Coordinates of all heavy atoms in Angstrom, one line a residue:
Chain A
D172 N 116.8 92.5 121.3 CA 116.4 92.7 122.7 C 115.0 93.2 122.9 O 114.4 93.1 123.9 CB 117.4 93.8 123.3 CG 118.8 93.3 123.3 OD1 118.9 92.0 123.2 OD2 119.7 94.0 123.4
S173 N 114.5 93.7 121.8 CA 113.1 94.3 122.0 C 112.1 93.2 122.4 O 112.2 92.1 122.0 CB 112.7 94.9 120.6 OG 112.4 93.9 119.7
P174 N 111.1 93.7 123.1 CA 110.1 92.8 123.5 C 109.4 92.1 122.4 O 109.0 91.0 122.4 CB 109.1 93.8 124.2 CG 109.7 95.1 124.2 CD 111.0 95.1 123.4
V175 N 109.3 92.9 121.4 CA 108.6 92.3 120.2 C 109.4 91.1 119.7 O 108.8 90.1 119.4 CB 108.5 93.4 119.1 CG1 107.9 92.7 117.8 CG2 107.7 94.6 119.5
F176 N 110.6 91.4 119.6 CA 111.4 90.3 119.1 C 111.2 89.0 120.0 O 111.0 87.9 119.5 CB 112.9 90.7 119.1 CG 113.8 89.7 118.6 CD1 114.0 89.5 117.3 CD2 114.4 88.8 119.5 CE1 114.9 88.6 116.8 CE2 115.3 87.8 119.0 CZ 115.5 87.7 117.7
N177 N 111.3 89.3 121.2 CA 111.2 88.2 122.1 C 109.8 87.5 121.9 O 109.7 86.3 121.9 CB 111.2 88.7 123.6 CG 112.7 89.1 123.9 OD1 113.6 88.7 123.2 ND2 112.8 90.0 124.8
Y178 N 108.9 88.3 121.8 CA 107.5 87.8 121.6 C 107.5 86.9 120.4 O 107.0 85.8 120.4 CB 106.5 88.9 121.5 CG 105.2 88.4 121.2 CD1 104.4 87.9 122.2 CD2 104.6 88.6 119.9 CE1 103.1 87.4 122.0 CE2 103.3 88.1 119.7 CZ 102.6 87.5 120.7 OH 101.4 87.1 120.4
I179 N 108.0 87.4 119.4 CA 108.0 86.6 118.1 C 108.7 85.3 118.3 O 108.3 84.3 117.9 CB 108.6 87.5 117.0 CG1 107.8 88.7 116.7 CG2 108.8 86.6 115.8 CD1 108.4 89.7 115.8
N180 N 109.8 85.5 119.0 CA 110.6 84.3 119.2 C 109.8 83.2 119.9 O 109.8 82.1 119.6 CB 111.8 84.6 120.0 CG 113.0 84.8 119.1 OD1 113.0 84.4 118.0 ND2 114.0 85.5 119.6
S181 N 109.2 83.7 120.9 CA 108.4 82.8 121.7 C 107.4 82.1 120.9 O 107.1 80.9 121.0 CB 107.7 83.5 122.9 OG 106.8 84.4 122.4
L182 N 106.8 82.9 120.0 CA 105.7 82.3 119.2 C 106.3 81.3 118.2 O 105.6 80.2 118.1 CB 105.1 83.4 118.4 CG 104.3 84.4 119.2 CD1 103.8 85.5 118.3 CD2 103.2 83.7 119.9
S183 N 107.3 81.5 117.6 CA 107.8 80.6 116.6 C 108.9 79.8 117.1 O 109.9 80.3 117.6 CB 108.2 81.4 115.4 OG 108.8 80.5 114.5
P184 N 108.8 78.5 116.9 CA 109.9 77.6 117.3 C 111.1 77.8 116.4 O 112.2 77.6 116.7 CB 109.3 76.2 117.0 CG 108.1 76.5 116.2 CD 107.6 77.9 116.4
I185 N 110.7 78.3 115.2 CA 111.8 78.5 114.3 C 112.6 79.8 114.6 O 112.0 80.6 115.2 CB 111.2 78.6 112.9 CG1 110.4 77.4 112.6 CG2 112.3 78.8 111.8 CD1 109.5 77.6 111.4
K186 N 113.7 79.9 114.0 CA 114.5 81.1 114.3 C 114.0 82.2 113.4 O 114.2 82.1 112.2 CB 116.0 80.8 114.0 CG 116.5 79.8 115.0 CD 116.8 80.4 116.3 CE 117.4 79.3 117.2 NZ 117.7 79.9 118.5
P187 N 113.4 83.1 113.9 CA 112.8 84.2 113.1 C 113.9 85.2 112.9 O 113.5 86.3 112.4 CB 111.7 84.7 114.1 CG 112.2 84.4 115.4 CD 113.0 83.1 115.3
V188 N 115.0 85.0 113.3 CA 116.0 86.0 113.2 C 115.9 86.9 112.1 O 115.7 88.1 112.2 CB 117.4 85.4 113.2 CG1 118.4 86.5 113.1 CG2 117.6 84.6 114.4
K189 N 115.9 86.4 110.9 CA 115.8 87.2 109.8 C 114.5 87.8 109.5 O 114.3 89.0 109.2 CB 116.3 86.5 108.6 CG 117.8 86.2 108.7 CD 118.4 85.5 107.5 CE 119.8 85.2 107.8 NZ 120.5 84.6 106.6
S190 N 113.6 87.0 109.6 CA 112.2 87.5 109.3 C 111.8 88.6 110.2 O 111.3 89.6 109.7 CB 111.2 86.3 109.4 OG 111.1 85.9 110.7
I191 N 112.0 88.5 111.4 CA 111.6 89.5 112.3 C 112.2 90.8 112.0 O 111.6 91.8 111.9 CB 111.8 89.1 113.7 CG1 110.9 88.0 114.1 CG2 111.6 90.3 114.6 CD1 111.2 87.3 115.4
P192 N 113.5 90.7 112.0 CA 114.2 92.0 111.7 C 113.7 92.6 110.4 O 113.6 93.8 110.3 CB 115.6 91.5 111.5 CG 115.7 90.2 112.1 CD 114.3 89.6 112.1
I193 N 113.4 91.7 109.6 CA 113.0 92.2 108.3 C 111.7 93.1 108.4 O 111.6 94.1 107.9 CB 112.6 91.0 107.4 CG1 113.9 90.3 106.9 CG2 111.8 91.5 106.2 CD1 113.7 89.0 106.3
T194 N 110.9 92.6 109.2 CA 109.7 93.3 109.4 C 110.0 94.7 109.9 O 109.5 95.7 109.3 CB 108.9 92.7 110.5 OG1 108.6 91.4 110.1 CG2 107.6 93.4 110.7
Q195 N 110.8 94.8 110.8 CA 111.2 96.1 111.3 C 111.8 96.9 110.2 O 111.6 98.1 110.1 CB 112.1 95.9 112.5 CG 111.4 95.3 113.6 CD 112.3 95.0 114.8 OE1 113.5 95.2 114.6 NE2 111.7 94.6 115.9
T196 N 112.6 96.2 109.6 CA 113.3 96.9 108.5 C 112.4 97.5 107.6 O 112.5 98.7 107.2 CB 114.1 95.9 107.7 OG1 115.0 95.2 108.6 CG2 114.9 96.6 106.6
F197 N 111.3 96.8 107.3 CA 110.3 97.4 106.4 C 110.0 98.8 106.9 O 110.0 99.7 106.1 CB 109.1 96.5 106.5 CG 109.1 95.5 105.5 CD1 108.3 94.4 105.7 CD2 109.9 95.5 104.4 CE1 108.2 93.4 104.8 CE2 109.9 94.5 103.5 CZ 109.0 93.5 103.7
N198 N 109.6 98.8 108.1 CA 109.1 100.0 108.5 C 110.2 101.1 108.5 O 110.0 102.2 108.1 CB 108.7 99.9 110.0 CG 107.5 98.9 110.0 OD1 106.8 98.9 109.1 ND2 107.3 98.3 111.1
S199 N 111.3 100.7 108.9 CA 112.4 101.6 109.0 C 112.7 102.1 107.6 O 112.9 103.3 107.4 CB 113.6 101.0 109.6 OG 114.0 100.0 108.8
L200 N 112.8 101.2 106.7 CA 113.2 101.6 105.4 C 112.0 102.3 104.7 O 110.9 102.0 104.9 CB 113.6 100.4 104.6 CG 114.9 99.8 105.2 CD1 115.3 98.6 104.4 CD2 116.0 100.9 105.2
N201 N 112.4 103.1 103.8 CA 111.3 103.8 103.1 C 111.1 103.0 101.8 O 112.0 102.6 101.2 CB 111.7 105.2 102.7 CG 111.7 106.0 103.9 OD1 111.0 105.8 104.9 ND2 112.6 107.0 103.9
F202 N 109.9 103.0 101.5 CA 109.5 102.3 100.3 C 110.1 103.0 99.1 O 110.4 102.4 98.1 CB 108.0 102.2 100.2 CG 107.4 101.6 101.4 CD1 106.9 102.4 102.4 CD2 107.5 100.2 101.5 CE1 106.4 101.7 103.5 CE2 107.0 99.6 102.6 CZ 106.5 100.4 103.6
S203 N 110.2 104.2 99.3 CA 110.6 105.0 98.1 C 111.9 104.4 97.6 O 112.2 104.5 96.4 CB 110.8 106.4 98.6 OG 111.7 106.4 99.6
S204 N 112.7 104.0 98.5 CA 114.0 103.5 98.1 C 113.9 102.3 97.2 O 114.8 102.0 96.4 CB 114.8 103.2 99.3 OG 114.2 102.0 99.9
L205 N 112.8 101.7 97.2 CA 112.7 100.5 96.4 C 112.4 100.8 95.0 O 111.3 101.3 94.7 CB 111.7 99.6 97.0 CG 112.1 99.1 98.4 CD1 111.0 98.2 98.9 CD2 113.4 98.4 98.3
P206 N 113.2 100.5 94.2 CA 112.9 100.6 92.8 C 112.0 99.4 92.4 O 112.0 98.4 93.0 CB 114.3 100.4 92.1 CG 115.2 100.0 93.1 CD 114.6 100.1 94.5
S207 N 111.3 99.7 91.3 CA 110.4 98.6 90.9 C 111.2 97.3 90.7 O 110.7 96.3 90.8 CB 109.8 99.0 89.6 OG 110.7 99.3 88.6
I208 N 112.4 97.5 90.3 CA 113.2 96.3 90.0 C 113.2 95.4 91.2 O 113.2 94.2 91.1 CB 114.6 96.7 89.7 CG1 114.6 97.6 88.5 CG2 115.5 95.5 89.6 CD1 115.9 98.2 88.2
F209 N 113.2 96.0 92.3 CA 113.3 95.2 93.5 C 112.1 94.4 93.8 O 112.1 93.5 94.5 CB 113.6 96.0 94.7 CG 115.1 96.4 94.8 CD1 115.6 97.4 94.1 CD2 115.9 95.6 95.5 CE1 116.9 97.7 94.2 CE2 117.3 95.9 95.6 CZ 117.8 96.9 94.9
T210 N 111.1 94.9 93.2 CA 109.8 94.3 93.6 C 109.9 92.8 93.5 O 109.5 92.1 94.3 CB 108.7 94.8 92.7 OG1 109.3 95.9 92.1 CG2 107.6 95.1 93.5
S211 N 110.3 92.4 92.3 CA 110.2 91.0 92.1 C 111.1 90.2 93.1 O 110.7 89.3 93.8 CB 110.6 90.6 90.7 OG 111.9 91.0 90.5
P212 N 112.3 90.7 93.2 CA 113.2 90.1 94.2 C 112.5 90.1 95.5 O 112.6 89.2 96.3 CB 114.4 90.9 94.2 CG 114.3 91.8 93.0 CD 112.9 91.8 92.5
H213 N 111.9 91.2 95.7 CA 111.3 91.4 97.0 C 110.3 90.4 97.2 O 110.2 89.7 98.3 CB 110.7 92.8 97.0 CG 109.8 92.9 98.1 ND1 110.1 92.9 99.4 CD2 108.4 92.9 98.1 CE1 109.1 93.0 100.1 NE2 108.0 93.0 99.3
V214 N 109.5 90.3 96.3 CA 108.4 89.3 96.4 C 109.0 87.9 96.7 O 108.6 87.2 97.6 CB 107.6 89.2 95.1 CG1 106.6 88.1 95.3 CG2 106.9 90.5 94.9
I215 N 109.9 87.6 96.0 CA 110.6 86.4 96.1 C 111.1 86.3 97.6 O 110.9 85.3 98.2 CB 111.8 86.2 95.2 CG1 111.2 86.1 93.8 CG2 112.6 85.0 95.5 CD1 112.3 86.2 92.7
A216 N 111.7 87.3 97.9 CA 112.2 87.3 99.2 C 111.2 87.0 100.2 O 111.4 86.2 101.2 CB 112.8 88.7 99.5
H217 N 110.1 87.6 100.0 CA 109.0 87.3 101.0 C 108.9 85.8 101.2 O 108.9 85.3 102.2 CB 107.7 87.9 100.5 CG 107.6 89.3 100.8 ND1 106.4 89.8 101.4 CD2 108.4 90.3 100.8 CE1 106.6 91.1 101.6 NE2 107.8 91.4 101.2
R218 N 108.6 85.3 100.0 CA 108.3 83.9 100.1 C 109.5 83.1 100.7 O 109.4 82.3 101.5 CB 108.2 83.4 98.7 CG 107.0 82.5 98.7 CD 106.6 82.3 97.3 NE 105.3 82.9 97.2 CZ 104.8 83.1 96.0 NH1 105.4 82.7 95.0 NH2 103.7 83.6 95.9
E219 N 110.6 83.5 100.2 CA 111.8 82.8 100.7 C 111.9 83.0 102.2 O 112.3 82.1 102.9 CB 113.0 83.3 99.9 CG 112.7 83.1 98.5 CD 113.9 82.7 97.8 OE1 114.8 82.4 98.4 OE2 113.9 82.6 96.6
T220 N 111.7 84.2 102.5 CA 111.9 84.5 103.9 C 111.0 83.6 104.7 O 111.4 82.9 105.7 CB 111.4 85.9 104.2 OG1 112.2 86.8 103.5 CG2 111.6 86.2 105.7
R221 N 109.8 83.5 104.2 CA 108.9 82.6 104.8 C 109.5 81.3 104.9 O 109.4 80.6 106.0 CB 107.6 82.6 104.0 CG 106.5 81.8 104.7 CD 106.1 82.6 105.8 NE 105.2 81.9 106.6 CZ 104.8 82.2 107.8 NH1 105.4 83.3 108.4 NH2 103.9 81.5 108.4

Side-chain angles (χ1 to χ4, degrees):
Chain A
D172 294 342
S173 74
V175 175
F176 180 84
N177 292 336
Y178 175 73
I179 295 169
N180 262 340
S181 64
L182 290 178
S183 170
I185 304 164
K186 297 280 179 181
V188 176
K189 290 183 179 180
S190 63
I191 292 170
I193 287 166
T194 304
Q195 293 176 353
T196 304
F197 270 161
N198 294 332
S199 62
L200 294 179
N201 290 333
F202 303 100
S203 58
S204 64
L205 295 179
S207 59
I208 295 170
F209 279 87
T210 345
S211 62
H213 162 68
V214 172
I215 293 169
H217 273 227
R218 223 165 248 169
E219 304 219 6
T220 301
R221 187 68 185 166

